Amino acid sequence: MLRISRLYRLPLTNDTRTNLLPPALFSRSCQHKASPDWKINMLYDSECPLCMHEVNFLMKRDRKQLIKFTDIAQLDYKPELNGGISYEVGMKKIYAVKSDGEIISGMEVFRQVYKAVGLGWVWSFTQLPGFSKLFDRFYDVWASWRMKITGRPELEIVFEERRQILQKMSQNADKLCEEKDSCKV
């Protein structure tokens, strides 16, 4: 997880992106490239270990490159290119944008991305009559506990840290932190 506590008083320059912050904090080219004919854009949080396990599993199986994977944790994430889903909204629940612009969330994302890689049967049981709403609700509960389960700070703390980092970057501040020990952004 991005924590300024790892960045300790690093001086910011006019070119913060290249000279200060690790490239991993910005969109990086990953080994998985979506086809120009991708079917679904899965928005994910790369700072979540369980999420990354799922994403890596799907990337390996997406041989037809029908899934576009977009990391919302990147500092240069652009909601306007991703169905208008803000970082804050995307952190509360999983979202995807289909190639036709339709926005889906929760269990439906898993149903659709697994279908795209030929494993739709894995989640088909979640659509059984009488069970669909139950599984959708189960996912909502899981999403609300995701940060705690993975040992991360509450979402509001993560949101505030991100706001502070982006604010410092936009101001071309001389440094992200004043004191090594007090830098908690």
Side-chain angles (χ1 to χ4, degrees):
M1 175 169 129
L2 171 65
R3 308 265 312 174
I4 289 187
S5 59
R6 288 196 219 157
L7 300 179
Y8 301 120
R9 289 196 241 155
L10 294 172
L12 293 177
T13 67
N14 285 339
D15 192 4
T16 303
R17 201 176 158 162
T18 337
N19 297 328
L20 168 67
L21 299 173
L25 300 180
F26 296 93
S27 290
R28 54 187 174 251
S29 58
C30 68
Q31 295 174 350
H32 183 275
K33 297 289 183 198
S35 155
D37 298 324
W38 59 268
K39 300 296 181 206
I40 189 165
N41 177 11
M42 180 179 178
L43 309 181
Y44 70 95
D45 170 16
S46 65
E47 296 174 355
C48 170
L50 294 175
C51 304
M52 284 310 302
H53 179 75
E54 193 79 16
V55 166
N56 289 331
F57 173 84
L58 290 163
M59 282 182 177
K60 288 177 188 173
R61 281 146 187 87
D62 188 24
R63 292 182 186 92
K64 295 180 183 175
Q65 301 174 325
L66 298 177
I67 304 173
K68 178 180 173 185
F69 294 91
T70 300
D71 182 1
I72 65 172
Q74 297 302 306
L75 291 175
D76 58 354
Y77 168 74
K78 296 191 177 0
E80 63 274 13
L81 300 178
N82 297 288
I85 304 298
S86 70
Y87 170 75
E88 289 81 3
V89 168
M91 285 292 287
K92 292 177 182 174
K93 185 177 193 174
I94 192 164
Y95 282 85
V97 182
K98 295 172 74 174
S99 58
D100 65 3
E102 178 187 359
I103 297 170
I104 58 174
S105 65
M107 285 298 296
E108 189 59 24
V109 172
F110 295 104
R111 292 177 190 123
Q112 294 289 324
V113 295
Y114 271 73
K115 183 179 177 183
V117 298
L119 296 172
W121 58 270
V122 171
W123 292 101
S124 61
F125 71 94
T126 66
Q127 294 177 304
L128 293 172
F131 289 99
S132 181
K133 288 191 187 298
L134 176 69
F135 285 108
D136 290 347
R137 181 67 185 129
F138 175 78
Y139 172 79
D140 291 343
V141 170
W142 151 253
S144 71
W145 282 85
R146 175 176 73 93
M147 301 299 279
K148 189 171 285 207
I149 289 170
T150 58
R152 296 171 62 202
E154 294 295 323
L155 282 174
E156 296 310 317
I157 294 169
V158 173
F159 296 160
E160 181 56 29
E161 290 174 349
R162 184 178 177 94
R163 276 191 288 277
Q164 289 179 25
I165 292 168
L166 293 172
Q167 180 182 19
K168 290 268 189 178
M169 288 173 59
S170 71
Q171 295 171 346
N172 289 323
D174 291 336
K175 51 187 160 179
L176 289 174
C177 303
E178 297 302 321
E179 302 291 329
K180 178 178 178 181
D181 295 331
S182 69
C183 191
K184 304 263 189 226
V185 176

